[in-house]
Structure formats: structure tokens, C-alpha cells
Amino acid sequence: MNKSYSHSIYKAFVLCLICFAFPNYLKAQNEDVIIIETYKPVISDAFKIQENPKIPDSTDVEKYSTTYQVNPVLYGTKFPVEPIKPAKMIGEPLTKFYKSYAKLGFGNKTTPLAEFYYSNLRSTSQSIGFYFNHFSSSGKIKKYAFPGFSNNDAGIYAKKFYKYHTLTANVDYKRDVVHYYGFEPSKFPYIYDVNNKDSIKQRLMDIGGQLKFFSTYVDSTKLNHYFDLKYHNASDLYDAVEDNIVFNALLNKNVKFLGKSIKNQNLSLKTKVDFYNDKNKIDTAGSAVISFIPQFSASYDIIRFNLGFNTSIAACDSSDIFFYPVTNINFNLVDNIFILYAGIDGGLEKNNLVNLFSENPFINTKTLNLQYSNTKSRFYAGFRGSISSYLSFNANIAKSKIDNLPLFVNDSSLNLFNKFNVIYDNAGITNLHTEITYQKSEKLKIMLTSNYYEYKMNVEKRAWHKPGMNVQLSVNYNLRNKIILKTEVFALNGVDAKCYNTTGQVPEILIKQLKGTVDFNLGLEYRYSKILSGFINFNNIGVINYQKWYNYPTYSFTALAGITYSF
């Protein structure tokens, strides 16, 4: 018998038992029941037993102290390196150099021009080259004697580059010809050869050479050094001869004397020996200037300074020693945009044939008097800086005291009055210099400079033939590297010349005032290709006649045209 069947019999038996036990109750179920309202079941509140079950922990576990040790084991790891390909950079192509350059031209006043340069191409070991220049004119100036001139110079040079040094050598030759044309031949009919241009010819020939050896260390802690030895021999047509030997040495090294807060500390020593042997019609003399100039320079914050002194010895028949301060200081106020600077220095210089001839080629070399010029002190102060990346400026004022300043006066002992003697006087000089430069790449460059001079002479009434003011404006314009325009404007005020009135018993000094001038020059170059170009230059476009030296008028308008070629 299965389980479900037994369960059914059990239920039936229980039901019968109930019916017999409660017969009255079953009968009442047939009575009527009146329902007053709907049934509402109600559940009485439940009361929770406020006790949580607890499980007593009857097990007491004893803790044991365990000691263990981990032995370190080096686990070898491998890091595979993948090679990185270098970035490919396209380098700028090197500008092509040419070994030779030639320039030829010709202008009015019978003015030929020739220039030639030659050098080897790029080399990391050596450089060799030579050059030749010629410029002359055979023009005429109305009423005056023959004013022709000729300037020639040539030279050869060589450089040898070592790892940390460079050795250079050069030989130079100069030959300058002028004529003492500062007179009117028609006023001297009694001089038989007054129109003979050879009788007023002057030629200065100068040949010399130089050796230089200097360091090119990259390491700033090394002792940098520079040495050079120069020699030249100059002579003219009037038996003036000059031999000059110059030795220069410079040592400098970065040091740390004043601690880490003082930057760019540098100690240097400069030595110079300048020897002359001069000979002319009236005298032969040897002389020298020996100088020692130790200096220390450094910078701190916005300040950079240089401290030193110059000890110079004038060695001639007797020796004299002179001392000069060599000190300057810069204040970089606005990151190289505005810099204040000031300084004081001085120096000793021997006037010589070559330098005086370069300044005034019409000197009388027969009686040339060569003295030392002693700049006892020169104080200067100024400011410089830049307004933008294109515009820069510089302005300063300097006051100097000079013993034996050379001046040029006409030689009154000559009938033609056409040569200049060199005289000397002590002077105080004030110079105001200004300079403004605008440059935008290589396309446009404009530069304006001016100088104002004030002379206070000790004996002489004027600073003869010294200009009181000069202004220069230059403009260079490059149009697509095809057309190059160059413009220069010079403005000079007049100068004073010393003359004599010999009509009386006692010669009387006369002051001749030479007029100032404005000289306008223009140059134009057309570059047909990188190797061939043509040019034309115009000088003194305003056709203004002026005299730089008394009785020596300059050429009026001149023009010169030519070509250049590189190969």
C-alpha cells in the first residue's frame, strides 16, 4: 500500500470521529446568521523576545609564536631594447664658394679700378690666398696743379689650423702716390718747372709681414694665449725711411678669486713692444713704447666691471714711465635692452710716418717731427641698447686730456705753400658721439652716426684742420638679392687753417676758415647671376667743391662703372 492511499483513509476516520463527538455543533450550522458589518480581521501586536542568541566559545586556542626567514633570491630579468631609428634631418646646403673674385671698373677723370682675390676653398687644415687692388685717377681740377693719385696694395697670406691653435703668416705691399697740387701754377710763373707733375710727386712705399700664433681652446679653464710679431719698412721719394717692429702678447684665464656669486672672472696680461727707427733729411732716431696692462674682469648680477692699469715706457734718448688707469663698468638695466656704461683710461702712442701720411698725405717728410702723444686721461660715459630686434642705439660723451696732439699747418717756408708741417700742442677734447642702426635681415640696413668735437688748445688758437662736427647717413637696400642700392650722405662742418701774412716786418697769423660741405654718394649693383654682376657709383652728386686741407680742393662729381666676376 502506498503512502498516499493510507493518508486518505486516515483523513476519513478523523472526520467520522468528529461528527460523532460534536453532534450539537454540527446542527447549529443550519441556523440563520445575520451579518451586521463586513468582517475586519485584526492581528494583535507581537512582542519580540529581546534576547540575542549567544554561542559560548568554549574552545580555548593556544597561540604559538612562529619565526620564519625569507632568503632573497635575485631573479634575472631581461629588457629587450628596440633600436630607435635616428630622425632624418635635412641639413642646409653649404653656400658655394669660389676660389677667385675679380672686379674691374672705369670712371670719369680717367679713373681705373681693379681688384683681384684668390683663396682656397673650405678646409679644416689650412687657408691660403692672395689679393691685389688698384685705384687711381688722372683727372684735373680747374686752375690747380696736377692732382692725380694712385693707391696700390697686394699681399699673400696663409693660415694653418691645429687642434687647439692657429698659425697665420702674411706679407703685404702698399704703394701710394699723390701730388702736392695745392697751388695755382699761374701765380708762380717764375718757377721754371711749376707745371712739371713729377716735381710735385710723392710716393710712399710700405712693405711688411706678420706672424700670429694663438689658442682656440673650447675649455674655458685653459690658459688662452695670443702672440704676434710684425715688421714693416716704409720709404718715400724724399729720403724718409721708417722701420717698425711690433711684438704683442696676451695671456688670459678664467679664475675664481671672489667666490661663486661673482661670475665670469677673468685675469689677463697684455704686453706690447713698439719699436721705431726713423730717418729723414734732418734726423735719425730710434724710439720705442713698451706697455704692460694687467686686468681683472668679472660680473655680478646686472654689473660687469673691468679693473686694471697701464704702465707704459717711452724709450728714446731718455726713458719716461707713465701710469694710466684702465677701468670700466657696465650696468645691464633691462636685459641688454638698456645698458649704462662708464670708464677711464689713457695711453702712450708714438706718431709715425705711416699713420701721419694716412691722415694727411701732403705732409712735408723732409722736416717731419715725430713725437710721443700722451693721452693722460680719457673719461667716457654713455648708454646703449636696443628698442627692438631691428633697432639699436649708442650714445656717449668723452673728455680727454692729450699732450702733444698732432696738428697740420701749411709750411710757410715753401714758395708754393703746398706742404704741411706737423706741429704739436696740448689739448682738452670733448667728444659727443651718437649712433642709431636699423637692420632688418639682409634686406635693409640704415645707420646714422654723428660726432661733435670741442677743442681747448694750450698754445695754438685753433685745432688746425680738425673738424668740429661730422654726420654720416648710410642706407643699404637689397631687393631680392638682385638689385643692391647703397646711399651715403656725409656732412662736415668747416675747419680752420693757420696761415701767415708776411707783408709786414713781423709775420702775422691769419685764420682761414674752410667751408663745410654735404657730400651725397649713390651706388647701384645689379646681380645678373651668383657669379656675375654690374655696378655704377656716383660720388659728390651735389657737385660741391670743398677743401679738406687748405688749398687742396677735392674732385667735384665723379662716376665709375664696372663688373664683378667670381670663378
Side-chain angles (χ1 to χ4, degrees), residues 32 49 51 53 57 70 115 197 217 236 242 266 277 302 317 336 341 348 432 434 448 470 511 518 538 556:
D32 294 331
I49 300 174
E51 291 182 0
D57 188 5
V70 177
E115 297 180 6
K197 61 182 181 180
Y217 293 124
D236 75 344
E242 180 176 85
N266 184 270
N277 184 53
I302 66 170
D317 296 334
N336 291 324
Y341 61 90
L348 185 68
L432 178 62
T434 60
L448 175 65
N470 62 70
I511 299 176
V518 177
F538 303 100
S556 56

Side-chain angles (χ1 to χ4, degrees), residues 45 64 106 152 165-166 348 388 433 510 560:
D45 293 338
Y64 293 93
F106 193 83
N152 304 272
H165 292 85
T166 299
L348 185 68
S388 67
H433 172 81
L510 300 177
L560 187 146

Side-chain angles (χ1 to χ4, degrees), residues 8 15 29 186-187 206 250 314 322 492 506:
S8 298
L15 180 62
Q29 295 298 320
S186 60
K187 295 182 178 180
D206 186 5
L250 174 64
F322 303 89
L492 304 172
V506 179

Side-chain angles (χ1 to χ4, degrees), residues 150-405:
S150 174
N151 298 326
N152 304 272
D153 64 285
I156 183 171
Y157 63 87
K159 293 183 180 181
K160 179 64 178 177
F161 305 111
Y162 299 96
K163 187 175 182 179
Y164 298 117
H165 292 85
T166 299
L167 176 65
T168 72
N170 62 273
V171 177
D172 302 296
Y173 172 78
K174 289 189 67 175
R175 183 180 184 274
D176 296 331
V177 176
V178 296
H179 292 82
Y180 295 106
Y181 68 92
F183 65 97
E184 298 180 32
S186 60
K187 295 182 178 180
F188 301 92
Y190 52 87
I191 300 178
Y192 76 97
D193 61 347
V194 69
N195 289 310
N196 182 5
K197 61 182 181 180
D198 289 335
S199 65
I200 57 173
K201 181 179 179 180
Q202 168 65 302
R203 181 210 66 213
L204 183 71
M205 189 167 58
D206 186 5
I207 185 170
Q210 182 180 27
L211 284 173
K212 289 194 295 185
F213 181 75
F214 55 92
S215 61
T216 55
Y217 293 124
V218 178
D219 187 353
S220 61
T221 63
K222 296 288 187 179
L223 177 65
N224 291 291
H225 43 274
Y226 172 93
F227 306 97
D228 80 57
L229 180 64
K230 294 186 292 185
Y231 169 78
H232 79 82
N233 172 270
S235 60
D236 75 344
L237 295 178
Y238 299 91
D239 298 326
V241 179
E242 180 176 85
D243 292 290
N244 177 223
I245 300 174
V246 182
F247 173 75
N248 286 291
L250 174 64
L251 302 175
N252 74 80
K253 188 180 188 329
N254 290 340
V255 295
K256 295 182 179 180
F257 290 158
L258 303 180
K260 295 182 179 180
S261 61
I262 308 298
K263 307 296 184 182
N264 304 315
Q265 299 180 46
N266 184 270
L267 186 65
S268 67
L269 174 63
K270 181 179 180 181
T271 302
K272 181 178 181 180
V273 179
D274 194 358
F275 172 79
Y276 290 93
N277 184 53
D278 292 286
K279 177 183 177 182
N280 57 31
K281 289 287 188 180
I282 63 173
D283 191 20
T284 298
S287 59
V289 176
I290 304 172
S291 301
F292 301 93
I293 309 175
Q295 297 182 81
F296 174 75
S297 61
S299 61
Y300 175 74
D301 196 19
I302 66 170
I303 302 174
R304 179 165 184 83
F305 60 89
N306 180 83
L307 303 174
F309 60 91
N310 178 357
T311 302
S312 293
I313 303 173
C316 193
D317 296 334
S318 61
S319 297
D320 296 310
I321 302 179
F322 303 89
F323 299 96
Y324 312 93
V326 182
T327 302
N328 60 71
I329 187 169
N330 294 351
F331 297 91
N332 189 355
L333 299 181
V334 191
D335 194 21
N336 291 324
I337 296 176
F338 191 80
I339 300 174
L340 292 176
Y341 61 90
I344 184 171
D345 56 24
L348 185 68
E349 179 184 4
K350 176 65 188 297
N351 293 289
N352 57 80
L353 171 64
V354 174
N355 289 349
L356 292 175
F357 182 89
S358 298
E359 184 176 356
N360 182 354
F362 308 112
I363 57 175
N364 186 356
T365 60
K366 289 183 178 181
T367 59
L368 187 60
N369 181 20
L370 301 175
Q371 299 289 335
Y372 291 97
S373 287
N374 178 21
T375 303
K376 299 170 66 175
S377 65
R378 183 179 74 100
F379 173 79
Y380 59 91
F383 57 90
R384 66 176 183 270
S386 58
I387 300 176
S388 67
S389 58
Y390 305 135
L391 187 63
S392 62
F393 57 87
N394 184 19
N396 62 66
I397 185 171
K399 294 182 71 67
S400 305
K401 292 184 178 180
I402 302 177
D403 286 350
N404 288 339
L405 176 70

